Amino acid sequence: MSCSRSRSRSLCFLLLCVVVISSNAQPVPIVIVEKAKEKGAVCLDGSPPAYFFQNGSGQGINNWLIIVEGGGWCETVESCASRLGTERGSSVFMNKTTGYGGFLGGVQSLNPDFYNWNRVKVRYCDGASFTGDVEEPLKVNQTAQLFFRGQRIWDAIMAELMDRGMKNASKAILSGCSAGGLAAILHCDQFRALLPKEAIVKCISDAGYFIRGSDLTKNHTIDDVYGKVVALHGSVKTLPKSCKQAKPELCFFPQFVAETMETPLFLINSPYDSWQIGHILAPNTLQVAKTKEWNDCRLDIAKCSPDQLKIVQAFRDEFVKAVETGAGKNPKNGYFINSYHAHCQTSDAENWIGPKALKLKNTEVWKAVGDWFFDRAPTPFREIDPPYPSNPTCPSLNKSTSA
Protein backbone atom coordinates (compact mmCIF):
# COMPACT_ATOMS: atom_id res chain seq x y z
CA MET A 1 0.00 0.00 0.00
CA SER A 2 2.20 2.80 -1.24
CA CYS A 3 0.81 6.23 -0.64
CA SER A 4 1.13 9.56 1.12
CA ARG A 5 -0.97 9.99 4.24
CA SER A 6 0.15 13.11 6.03
CA ARG A 7 -0.26 12.52 9.78
CA SER A 8 2.02 15.22 11.00
CA ARG A 9 1.63 18.83 9.99
CA SER A 10 3.85 20.06 12.80
CA LEU A 11 7.58 19.78 12.32
CA CYS A 12 8.41 21.18 15.75
CA PHE A 13 11.41 19.25 16.98
CA LEU A 14 10.02 19.11 20.50
CA LEU A 15 6.64 17.65 19.67
CA LEU A 16 6.94 14.03 18.58
CA CYS A 17 3.70 13.09 20.26
CA VAL A 18 1.66 9.95 20.58
CA VAL A 19 -1.97 10.45 19.57
CA VAL A 20 -4.16 8.30 21.76
CA ILE A 21 -7.69 7.71 20.54
CA SER A 22 -10.07 6.25 23.09
CA SER A 23 -12.14 3.30 21.94
CA ASN A 24 -15.16 3.38 24.26
CA ALA A 25 -12.81 2.69 27.16
CA GLN A 26 -12.93 3.97 30.72
CA PRO A 27 -10.40 6.70 31.58
CA VAL A 28 -7.07 5.23 32.61
CA PRO A 29 -5.59 6.94 35.72
CA ILE A 30 -2.07 8.23 36.03
CA VAL A 31 0.33 6.73 38.58
CA ILE A 32 2.92 9.11 40.04
CA VAL A 33 6.03 7.23 41.20
CA GLU A 34 6.72 9.31 44.30
CA LYS A 35 9.29 6.91 45.73
CA ALA A 36 11.42 7.30 42.60
CA LYS A 37 12.69 10.60 43.98
CA GLU A 38 14.59 8.70 46.67
CA LYS A 39 16.85 7.35 43.92
CA GLY A 40 17.07 10.63 42.07
CA ALA A 41 14.82 9.32 39.31
CA VAL A 42 13.09 12.54 38.33
CA CYS A 43 11.80 14.49 35.35
CA LEU A 44 13.67 17.48 33.96
CA ASP A 45 12.19 19.76 36.65
CA GLY A 46 12.83 17.36 39.55
CA SER A 47 9.27 16.06 39.83
CA PRO A 48 8.67 12.29 40.07
CA PRO A 49 8.02 10.29 36.89
CA ALA A 50 4.67 8.77 35.96
CA TYR A 51 2.81 6.20 33.90
CA PHE A 52 -0.73 5.15 33.04
CA PHE A 53 -1.77 1.65 34.06
CA GLN A 54 -4.66 -0.69 33.36
CA ASN A 55 -4.81 -4.16 34.90
CA GLY A 56 -4.87 -7.32 32.83
CA SER A 57 -7.63 -9.84 33.17
CA GLY A 58 -8.54 -13.41 32.28
CA GLN A 59 -5.91 -15.15 30.18
CA GLY A 60 -3.97 -11.90 29.91
CA ILE A 61 -3.45 -11.42 33.62
CA ASN A 62 0.25 -12.38 33.46
CA ASN A 63 0.95 -10.67 30.15
CA TRP A 64 2.38 -7.16 29.90
CA LEU A 65 2.36 -4.51 27.19
CA ILE A 66 4.56 -1.50 27.93
CA ILE A 67 4.37 1.45 25.55
CA VAL A 68 6.81 4.33 25.93
CA GLU A 69 5.50 7.74 24.99
CA GLY A 70 7.30 9.91 22.44
CA GLY A 71 8.13 13.60 22.63
CA GLY A 72 11.36 14.38 20.81
CA TRP A 73 14.65 15.29 22.44
CA CYS A 74 16.10 18.43 23.96
CA GLU A 75 19.73 18.95 22.99
CA THR A 76 20.49 22.34 24.57
CA VAL A 77 19.96 23.91 27.97
CA GLU A 78 17.50 26.32 26.39
CA SER A 79 15.40 23.64 24.71
CA CYS A 80 15.33 21.52 27.86
CA ALA A 81 14.43 24.54 30.00
CA SER A 82 11.50 25.25 27.69
CA ARG A 83 9.99 21.93 28.80
CA LEU A 84 10.00 22.75 32.53
CA GLY A 85 6.47 24.11 32.59
CA THR A 86 5.03 21.38 30.37
CA GLU A 87 4.17 17.68 30.53
CA ARG A 88 7.35 17.00 28.52
CA GLY A 89 9.46 18.00 31.50
CA SER A 90 7.26 17.68 34.57
CA SER A 91 4.68 15.30 35.96
CA VAL A 92 3.01 18.30 37.60
CA PHE A 93 1.57 19.29 34.22
CA MET A 94 0.55 15.82 33.02
CA ASN A 95 -3.09 14.87 32.47
CA LYS A 96 -4.45 12.79 35.32
CA THR A 97 -6.25 10.35 33.02
CA THR A 98 -6.04 9.21 29.42
CA GLY A 99 -7.87 7.02 26.96
CA TYR A 100 -6.38 3.87 25.50
CA GLY A 101 -6.88 3.04 21.83
CA GLY A 102 -5.23 1.17 18.98
CA PHE A 103 -2.46 -1.14 20.19
CA LEU A 104 -3.35 -0.27 23.82
CA GLY A 105 -7.10 -0.63 23.40
CA GLY A 106 -9.10 -2.68 25.88
CA VAL A 107 -11.96 -3.79 23.62
CA GLN A 108 -11.57 -7.33 22.29
CA SER A 109 -13.06 -6.64 18.87
CA LEU A 110 -10.70 -3.69 18.39
CA ASN A 111 -7.53 -5.28 19.78
CA PRO A 112 -8.01 -9.07 19.70
CA ASP A 113 -4.53 -10.16 20.78
CA PHE A 114 -3.71 -7.71 23.57
CA TYR A 115 -6.97 -6.21 24.91
CA ASN A 116 -6.81 -8.06 28.27
CA TRP A 117 -3.09 -7.68 28.98
CA ASN A 118 -1.69 -5.42 31.68
CA ARG A 119 -1.27 -2.26 29.60
CA VAL A 120 1.13 0.50 30.58
CA LYS A 121 1.91 3.82 28.96
CA VAL A 122 5.13 5.33 30.30
CA ARG A 123 5.05 9.13 30.33
CA TYR A 124 8.01 10.91 28.78
CA CYS A 125 9.59 13.76 30.73
CA ASP A 126 13.37 13.43 30.40
CA GLY A 127 14.03 14.54 26.81
CA ALA A 128 16.59 11.86 25.90
CA SER A 129 14.69 8.60 25.32
CA PHE A 130 15.37 7.54 28.94
CA THR A 131 19.15 7.44 28.49
CA GLY A 132 20.43 10.33 30.62
CA ASP A 133 22.29 10.00 33.90
CA VAL A 134 23.95 13.15 35.24
CA GLU A 135 24.53 13.29 38.99
CA GLU A 136 24.40 17.03 39.62
CA PRO A 137 21.45 19.14 38.44
CA LEU A 138 22.17 22.07 36.16
CA LYS A 139 21.13 25.45 37.49
CA VAL A 140 19.10 27.40 34.92
CA ASN A 141 18.29 30.48 37.01
CA GLN A 142 17.60 31.47 40.61
CA THR A 143 14.55 29.22 40.87
CA ALA A 144 14.93 26.42 38.30
CA GLN A 145 17.23 23.46 37.79
CA LEU A 146 17.47 20.76 35.12
CA PHE A 147 17.83 17.10 36.01
CA PHE A 148 19.10 14.69 33.35
CA ARG A 149 18.03 11.33 34.83
CA GLY A 150 16.23 9.40 32.09
CA GLN A 151 17.91 6.07 32.78
CA ARG A 152 17.05 6.33 36.46
CA ILE A 153 13.42 7.02 35.52
CA TRP A 154 13.44 3.90 33.38
CA ASP A 155 14.89 1.81 36.20
CA ALA A 156 12.44 3.18 38.78
CA ILE A 157 9.34 2.57 36.66
CA MET A 158 10.49 -0.93 35.70
CA ALA A 159 11.11 -1.72 39.40
CA GLU A 160 7.61 -0.57 40.28
CA LEU A 161 6.05 -2.63 37.49
CA MET A 162 7.99 -5.67 38.63
CA ASP A 163 6.46 -5.20 42.08
CA ARG A 164 3.02 -4.93 40.50
CA GLY A 165 3.39 -8.40 39.03
CA MET A 166 5.57 -8.05 35.95
CA LYS A 167 8.20 -10.24 37.63
CA ASN A 168 5.80 -13.14 36.98
CA ALA A 169 5.18 -12.27 33.35
CA SER A 170 4.47 -15.07 30.90
CA LYS A 171 4.50 -12.78 27.87
CA ALA A 172 5.70 -9.21 27.53
CA ILE A 173 6.15 -6.54 24.87
CA LEU A 174 8.13 -3.32 25.14
CA SER A 175 7.00 -0.82 22.54
CA GLY A 176 6.93 2.90 21.92
CA CYS A 177 6.34 5.66 19.41
CA SER A 178 8.88 8.12 17.99
CA ALA A 179 11.42 8.98 20.72
CA GLY A 180 9.62 6.29 22.72
CA GLY A 181 10.11 3.86 19.85
CA LEU A 182 13.82 4.60 19.99
CA ALA A 183 13.71 4.05 23.77
CA ALA A 184 12.07 0.66 23.20
CA ILE A 185 15.00 -0.34 20.98
CA LEU A 186 17.71 1.03 23.26
CA HIS A 187 16.20 -0.66 26.35
CA CYS A 188 14.95 -3.82 24.68
CA ASP A 189 17.64 -6.21 25.89
CA GLN A 190 17.57 -4.60 29.35
CA PHE A 191 13.83 -5.27 29.46
CA ARG A 192 14.32 -8.89 28.45
CA ALA A 193 16.93 -9.35 31.22
CA LEU A 194 14.43 -8.25 33.89
CA LEU A 195 11.86 -10.94 33.15
CA PRO A 196 11.70 -14.70 33.74
CA LYS A 197 13.83 -16.72 31.32
CA GLU A 198 10.82 -18.77 30.27
CA ALA A 199 8.75 -15.68 29.39
CA ILE A 200 8.16 -14.74 25.76
CA VAL A 201 9.57 -11.23 25.45
CA LYS A 202 9.77 -9.11 22.31
CA CYS A 203 10.00 -5.43 21.37
CA ILE A 204 8.18 -3.22 18.87
CA SER A 205 9.14 0.21 17.58
CA ASP A 206 6.56 2.49 15.95
CA ALA A 207 8.21 5.35 14.01
CA GLY A 208 11.36 4.99 16.10
CA TYR A 209 13.74 3.68 13.44
CA PHE A 210 15.57 6.94 12.78
CA ILE A 211 18.19 6.51 10.09
CA ARG A 212 21.53 8.21 9.58
CA GLY A 213 20.34 9.52 6.24
CA SER A 214 21.84 12.17 4.00
CA ASP A 215 20.35 15.65 4.09
CA LEU A 216 19.87 18.01 1.15
CA THR A 217 23.56 18.98 1.31
CA LYS A 218 24.69 15.32 1.33
CA ASN A 219 25.80 15.67 4.95
CA HIS A 220 24.54 14.14 8.21
CA THR A 221 23.43 17.22 10.16
CA ILE A 222 21.32 15.04 12.46
CA ASP A 223 24.59 13.72 13.93
CA ASP A 224 25.15 17.07 15.58
CA VAL A 225 21.71 17.09 17.17
CA TYR A 226 22.08 13.61 18.63
CA GLY A 227 25.64 14.34 19.68
CA LYS A 228 24.43 17.28 21.73
CA VAL A 229 21.67 15.18 23.32
CA VAL A 230 24.16 12.50 24.36
CA ALA A 231 26.64 15.05 25.74
CA LEU A 232 24.10 17.15 27.66
CA HIS A 233 22.27 14.20 29.21
CA GLY A 234 25.33 12.07 29.98
CA SER A 235 23.85 9.27 27.91
CA VAL A 236 27.16 7.69 26.99
CA LYS A 237 27.14 5.72 30.25
CA THR A 238 23.85 3.99 29.53
CA LEU A 239 23.81 3.36 25.77
CA PRO A 240 24.33 -0.17 24.38
CA LYS A 241 28.03 -0.98 24.26
CA SER A 242 27.84 -2.47 20.78
CA CYS A 243 27.05 0.84 19.09
CA LYS A 244 29.09 3.46 20.94
CA GLN A 245 32.65 2.43 20.18
CA ALA A 246 33.35 5.21 17.67
CA LYS A 247 30.67 7.86 18.22
CA PRO A 248 28.12 7.37 21.04
CA GLU A 249 25.49 9.39 19.17
CA LEU A 250 25.33 6.65 16.55
CA CYS A 251 23.30 4.67 19.10
CA PHE A 252 20.39 7.02 18.38
CA PHE A 253 20.30 5.51 14.89
CA PRO A 254 18.74 2.04 15.43
CA GLN A 255 20.43 0.63 12.32
CA PHE A 256 23.60 0.47 14.46
CA VAL A 257 21.82 -1.10 17.43
CA ALA A 258 19.37 -3.58 15.93
CA GLU A 259 21.99 -5.71 14.24
CA THR A 260 23.41 -6.81 17.62
CA MET A 261 20.21 -6.97 19.68
CA GLU A 262 19.36 -10.38 21.06
CA THR A 263 15.65 -9.79 21.74
CA PRO A 264 13.32 -10.07 18.71
CA LEU A 265 12.25 -6.70 17.29
CA PHE A 266 9.35 -5.63 15.05
CA LEU A 267 9.36 -2.32 13.18
CA ILE A 268 6.32 -0.30 12.13
CA ASN A 269 7.62 2.62 10.13
CA SER A 270 7.44 4.53 6.89
CA PRO A 271 10.43 5.34 4.65
CA TYR A 272 8.61 8.66 4.14
CA ASP A 273 8.27 9.22 7.89
CA SER A 274 7.08 12.81 8.14
CA TRP A 275 9.44 13.64 11.01
CA GLN A 276 12.48 12.20 9.29
CA ILE A 277 11.70 13.95 6.00
CA GLY A 278 11.40 17.25 7.90
CA HIS A 279 14.35 16.87 10.25
CA ILE A 280 16.88 14.47 8.73
CA LEU A 281 16.46 14.98 4.97
CA ALA A 282 15.33 18.62 4.94
CA PRO A 283 15.93 20.18 8.38
CA ASN A 284 15.00 23.84 8.60
CA THR A 285 18.53 24.58 9.86
CA LEU A 286 19.61 24.30 6.21
CA GLN A 287 19.14 27.40 4.08
CA VAL A 288 18.01 25.34 1.10
CA ALA A 289 15.24 23.75 3.19
CA LYS A 290 13.76 27.10 4.19
CA THR A 291 12.28 27.82 0.78
CA LYS A 292 8.53 27.65 0.34
CA GLU A 293 8.94 24.85 -2.19
CA TRP A 294 10.79 22.58 0.21
CA ASN A 295 8.53 23.50 3.10
CA ASP A 296 5.51 22.43 1.04
CA CYS A 297 7.25 19.24 -0.06
CA ARG A 298 8.25 18.07 3.39
CA LEU A 299 4.75 18.74 4.73
CA ASP A 300 3.08 16.85 1.89
CA ILE A 301 5.08 14.78 -0.60
CA ALA A 302 2.24 15.12 -3.10
CA LYS A 303 3.45 18.73 -3.42
CA CYS A 304 7.05 17.79 -4.22
CA SER A 305 8.36 18.74 -7.64
CA PRO A 306 9.74 15.92 -9.83
CA ASP A 307 13.30 16.85 -8.82
CA GLN A 308 12.39 17.00 -5.13
CA LEU A 309 10.61 13.67 -5.36
CA LYS A 310 13.78 12.08 -6.73
CA ILE A 311 15.60 13.25 -3.59
CA VAL A 312 12.81 11.97 -1.35
CA GLN A 313 12.87 8.61 -3.13
CA ALA A 314 16.64 8.41 -2.61
CA PHE A 315 16.02 8.95 1.10
CA ARG A 316 13.45 6.17 0.97
CA ASP A 317 16.11 3.88 -0.53
CA GLU A 318 18.50 4.78 2.30
CA PHE A 319 15.81 3.92 4.82
CA VAL A 320 15.07 0.53 3.27
CA LYS A 321 18.77 -0.30 3.19
CA ALA A 322 19.12 0.70 6.86
CA VAL A 323 16.28 -1.68 7.77
CA GLU A 324 17.61 -4.58 5.74
CA THR A 325 21.21 -4.24 6.94
CA GLY A 326 20.23 -3.45 10.53
CA ALA A 327 17.08 -5.07 11.88
CA GLY A 328 16.96 -7.39 8.89
CA LYS A 329 20.08 -9.26 9.98
CA ASN A 330 18.24 -11.05 12.79
CA PRO A 331 15.94 -13.72 11.30
CA LYS A 332 13.61 -13.38 14.31
CA ASN A 333 12.88 -9.74 13.54
CA GLY A 334 9.91 -8.56 11.52
CA TYR A 335 8.79 -5.34 9.91
CA PHE A 336 5.77 -3.54 8.51
CA ILE A 337 7.20 -0.77 6.34
CA ASN A 338 4.39 1.13 4.64
CA SER A 339 4.73 4.18 2.45
CA TYR A 340 2.44 6.62 4.21
CA HIS A 341 3.76 10.10 4.86
CA ALA A 342 3.16 9.38 8.52
CA HIS A 343 4.68 9.37 11.98
CA CYS A 344 3.41 7.10 14.80
CA GLN A 345 0.65 4.85 13.53
CA THR A 346 -0.39 2.23 16.12
CA SER A 347 -2.11 4.47 18.69
CA ASP A 348 -4.86 5.38 16.21
CA ALA A 349 -7.72 2.90 16.54
CA GLU A 350 -8.69 3.50 12.91
CA ASN A 351 -5.18 2.59 11.76
CA TRP A 352 -4.96 -0.50 13.97
CA ILE A 353 -7.96 -2.55 12.89
CA GLY A 354 -10.99 -2.33 10.64
CA PRO A 355 -11.87 -1.13 7.13
CA LYS A 356 -9.32 1.72 7.18
CA ALA A 357 -6.55 -0.15 8.99
CA LEU A 358 -2.98 -0.07 7.72
CA LYS A 359 -2.38 -3.00 5.40
CA LEU A 360 0.50 -4.67 3.59
CA LYS A 361 -0.14 -7.66 1.32
CA ASN A 362 -3.79 -7.54 2.50
CA THR A 363 -2.65 -8.07 6.10
CA GLU A 364 -3.79 -5.51 8.67
CA VAL A 365 -1.12 -4.21 11.00
CA TRP A 366 -2.70 -5.71 14.16
CA LYS A 367 -2.57 -9.16 12.57
CA ALA A 368 0.98 -8.70 11.29
CA VAL A 369 2.09 -7.80 14.82
CA GLY A 370 0.14 -10.66 16.42
CA ASP A 371 1.32 -13.25 13.90
CA TRP A 372 4.91 -12.20 14.54
CA PHE A 373 4.63 -12.15 18.34
CA PHE A 374 2.77 -15.44 18.67
CA ASP A 375 4.70 -17.18 15.86
CA ARG A 376 1.45 -17.86 14.01
CA ALA A 377 3.23 -17.84 10.64
CA PRO A 378 6.13 -20.03 9.47
CA THR A 379 8.38 -16.96 9.09
CA PRO A 380 8.29 -13.46 10.65
CA PHE A 381 6.17 -10.89 8.83
CA ARG A 382 8.51 -8.80 6.66
CA GLU A 383 6.92 -6.52 4.10
CA ILE A 384 8.11 -3.27 2.54
CA ASP A 385 5.78 -1.16 0.43
CA PRO A 386 6.80 -0.23 -3.13
CA PRO A 387 7.81 3.41 -3.61
CA TYR A 388 5.23 6.20 -3.60
CA PRO A 389 2.86 6.45 -5.44
CA SER A 390 1.82 2.98 -6.52
CA ASN A 391 -1.58 2.30 -4.98
CA PRO A 392 -4.69 4.13 -6.25
CA THR A 393 -6.70 3.06 -3.17
CA CYS A 394 -4.79 5.39 -0.85
CA PRO A 395 -6.72 7.74 1.42
CA SER A 396 -7.13 11.28 0.15
CA LEU A 397 -3.89 13.22 0.30
CA ASN A 398 -5.79 16.11 1.83
CA LYS A 399 -7.00 14.06 4.80
CA SER A 400 -4.66 14.49 7.73
CA THR A 401 -4.46 14.48 11.48
CA SER A 402 -1.77 15.69 13.83
CA ALA A 403 0.71 13.24 15.27
Side-chain angles (χ1 to χ4, degrees):
M1 187 179 203
S2 181
C3 53
S4 172
R5 190 180 189 182
S6 180
R7 291 206 172 268
S8 177
R9 292 292 172 177
S10 171
L11 293 176
C12 175
F13 186 69
L14 304 181
L15 295 177
L16 295 176
C17 308
V18 181
V19 176
V20 176
I21 297 180
S22 174
S23 301
N24 300 319
Q26 294 297 317
V28 180
I30 199 169
V31 178
I32 305 294
V33 191
E34 293 285 355
K35 63 182 180 181
K37 296 182 70 172
E38 299 172 5
K39 298 181 179 180
V42 293
C43 299
L44 286 168
D45 72 337
S47 61
Y51 62 92
F52 292 110
F53 177 77
Q54 194 161 59
N55 281 305
S57 61
Q59 293 184 347
I61 199 164
N62 287 322
N63 300 335
W64 291 75
L65 173 58
I66 316 298
I67 292 187
V68 184
E69 185 180 47
W73 309 274
C74 57
E75 79 279 19
T76 65
V77 172
E78 292 75 20
S79 63
C80 289
S82 71
R83 297 183 173 216
L84 292 179
T86 75
E87 64 179 358
R88 294 289 172 233
S90 173
S91 60
V92 174
F93 298 94
M94 293 177 182
N95 292 335
K96 304 312 176 188
T97 62
T98 192
Y100 276 178
F103 192 16
L104 273 174
V107 178
Q108 184 174 7
S109 61
L110 299 177
N111 191 20
D113 288 322
F114 310 107
Y115 75 96
N116 61 354
W117 287 29
N118 295 282
R119 285 161 291 124
V120 180
K121 180 183 176 184
V122 179
R123 297 306 314 265
Y124 183 53
C125 65
D126 74 288
S129 291
F130 297 94
T131 63
D133 191 7
V134 176
E135 185 64 35
E136 295 298 324
L138 179 65
K139 189 174 182 179
V140 177
N141 53 43
Q142 295 299 318
T143 59
Q145 300 182 97
L146 284 169
F147 295 81
F148 304 113
R149 306 279 181 79
Q151 180 65 44
R152 298 190 197 186
I153 292 174
W154 168 265
D155 292 339
I157 291 179
M158 290 301 109
E160 175 149 316
L161 295 178
M162 292 290 279
D163 289 342
R164 296 193 78 146
M166 197 169 73
K167 63 184 176 183
N168 300 315
S170 298
K171 298 180 179 69
I173 294 174
L174 174 65
S175 184
C177 159
S178 191
L182 174 61
I185 293 174
L186 293 177
H187 293 87
C188 183
D189 285 341
Q190 295 177 32
F191 183 68
R192 162 69 273 189
L194 290 173
L195 302 177
K197 292 183 179 180
E198 64 274 13
I200 299 172
V201 182
K202 300 183 181 183
C203 300
I204 299 172
S205 175
D206 177 3
Y209 203 85
F210 302 96
I211 70 164
R212 190 172 185 252
S214 302
D215 63 29
L216 297 177
T217 65
K218 305 299 182 183
N219 293 307
H220 300 288
T221 55
I222 191 66
D223 285 15
D224 182 58
V225 175
Y226 286 158
K228 289 178 179 178
V229 173
V230 170
L232 181 63
H233 291 260
S235 303
V236 68
K237 293 184 292 184
T238 70
L239 292 168
K241 293 180 180 179
S242 61
C243 65
K244 65 181 181 182
Q245 301 303 318
K247 297 172 65 177
E249 58 266 31
L250 292 183
C251 295
F252 273 55
F253 302 106
Q255 65 200 86
F256 301 111
V257 181
E259 60 183 354
T260 58
M261 285 171 55
E262 296 181 1
T263 310
L265 173 68
F266 193 89
L267 305 178
I268 301 167
N269 225 116
S270 170
Y272 307 101
D273 181 289
S274 55
W275 190 90
Q276 296 199 50
I277 294 296
H279 292 85
I280 296 179
L281 173 63
N284 58 16
T285 53
L286 299 178
Q287 192 62 39
V288 65
K290 293 180 180 180
T291 64
K292 181 181 185 302
E293 291 76 14
W294 262 110
N295 190 55
D296 289 344
C297 175
R298 64 184 179 178
L299 288 175
D300 186 347
I301 61 175
K303 296 181 179 179
C304 295
S305 70
D307 288 341
Q308 289 173 327
L309 190 57
K310 288 180 182 179
I311 296 172
V312 172
Q313 298 290 25
F315 184 84
R316 180 257 180 200
D317 292 342
E318 284 190 79
F319 183 93
V320 170
K321 182 179 179 180
V323 169
E324 294 176 338
T325 60
K329 284 189 175 181
N330 187 335
K332 296 181 180 180
N333 292 345
Y335 35 79
F336 187 103
I337 308 298
N338 63 10
S339 289
Y340 287 173
H341 183 224
H343 187 69
C344 292
Q345 301 178 60
T346 59
S347 59
D348 188 329
E350 185 179 75
N351 283 351
W352 185 243
I353 193 170
K356 298 181 181 180
L358 307 175
K359 292 182 181 179
L360 286 177
K361 298 294 184 180
N362 292 319
T363 301
E364 293 184 10
V365 63
W366 72 270
K367 189 174 187 304
V369 169
D371 287 352
W372 167 78
F373 182 82
F374 293 103
D375 295 320
R376 293 191 296 229
T379 59
F381 187 94
R382 289 188 173 195
E383 293 293 341
I384 299 177
D385 240 348
Y388 161 88
S390 66
N391 192 325
T393 64
C394 290
S396 169
L397 300 180
N398 294 321
K399 180 181 178 181
S400 65
T401 57
S402 297

